[in-house]
Amino acid sequence: MRLTQYFLPVLKENPKEAQIVSHRLMLRAGMIQQSSAGIYSWLPMGLKVLSKIEQIVREEQNRSGAFEIKMPTIQPAELWQESGRYDDYGLEMLRIKDRHDRDMLYGPTNEEQVTDICRTHIKSYRALPINLYHIQWKFRDEVRPRFGVMRGREFYMKDAYSFDLTAEGARIAYNKMFVSYLKTFARLGLTAIPMEADTGPIGGDLSHEFIILADTGESGVYFHKDWQEKDMVADISYGDDLQPVVDQFTQLYARTDETHDANTCPVDEADLMMRRGIEVGHIFYFGTKYSAAMGASVSSPDGEMTDLHMGSYGIGVSRLVGAIIEASHDDGGIIWPASVSPFDAGIVNLKPGHSETDKVTDMIYQAAIKAGRDVLLDDSTDSAGAKLARMDLIGLPWQIIAGPRSTERGVVELKCRKTGEVVEHSPEDAAAALLAHLAQKVSQKVS
Ligand code: ATP
Ligand code: MG
């Protein structure tokens, strides 16, 4: 993509309304535009990142054996009256009337809708287990929408729902999602720590929030210092017995301030870390709460009708865009992990019109395209300083920088955004080195 043909509305000034770095950088890098409080338009580069995160989440859900569906954003009130949550949900729910004066709502979550699908079609234990997920916009009229996409009113979520005959079956489903989350966040370049969470009235130990560390996080978190060395790349296949893998992670202490109690915490003070964190995912098992209320039962092997055991599993897809930036940035701007970067690399032509520089940058640009890479070529007439600052701001992992001074010496610069390291190469060698770096990214991704 040539920048002069692209839509990348970068802001020069720091937007006053942005209190945290991810919100500021997303606005400055032209990724989003606020429509109203907590509601955003996604501009081309922002949407690219959102879609890449969505795709990684989807691939890992599919790999765990879940099936993708798409449920509507608008739901009928009746379903929520059946479960009893229509009144309970309160002001966070956006309630709507259609032209026939029927009560509708913009879905804040989908337990009722998916339970309705299962009770209609699943009558026997033979159809179980099943896990259905979708990736869809949600609306919650949050009291205090803030921090850009991190706490929006309209936001994009992956929510999965598992259905099993027994509590033991539901635990297997839970463990699959647990492992799927470890794989997903590792691919996103994040260390997300699973923390024991409140299960509410149902009790039991089956609820975890996945939290990444960031000073601007809304939750206080407490965890054993060994988490910092823990390898989160869970390279494990999906058998039914994932309990040992889950135990490996859950036996190491990690709690949010909602469940941590200094008096009962088993970790020595010297080993206990206290930080702030961002919740990027939440999984829980809630038994037959919805199936019993909504009549979702199946015939069991002994012929009795049994209420389905359910779990639900969320990932904040749009929140992740901000969360990744919180975890990966410097004074110059964003530093994208290769797996979600909006472009694979950027090429800066410091002086369009200078024939040698044009020739060299075009050669590298074409070579990258030919190799199937998605690169951004800055062919604008902005000042050299503005171009370099913009390329750092938008955070592509690799940059090729070429201008009259370097090309006349027969070299260009290859820069790693993360380390800042710059290496001079001949244009041909720079193209080859760039493609080699990018190929490395792909092999990491599919492992
Ligand atoms: P929180 O405690 O942050 O309000 P929640 O417990 O309400 O989250 P869930 O209902 O479990 O969250 O939703 C699943 C995921 O959706 C969360 O882990 C989070 O990543 C994301 N999420 C929830 N609310 C918002 C929001 N207002 N804006 C953006 N993402 C959100
Ligand atoms: Mg909430």
Side-chain angles (χ1 to χ4, degrees), residues 92 140 142 151:
E92 265 192 27
R140 295 182 188 172
E142 300 273 358
R151 183 163 295 287

Side-chain angles (χ1 to χ4, degrees), residues 140 142 149-152 155 157 279-282 314-316 319:
R140 295 182 188 172
E142 300 273 358
V149 300
M150 300 269 265
R151 183 163 295 287
F155 60 98
M157 194 207 282
E279 179 194 322
V280 288
H282 193 172
I315 289 182
R319 175 179 289 183

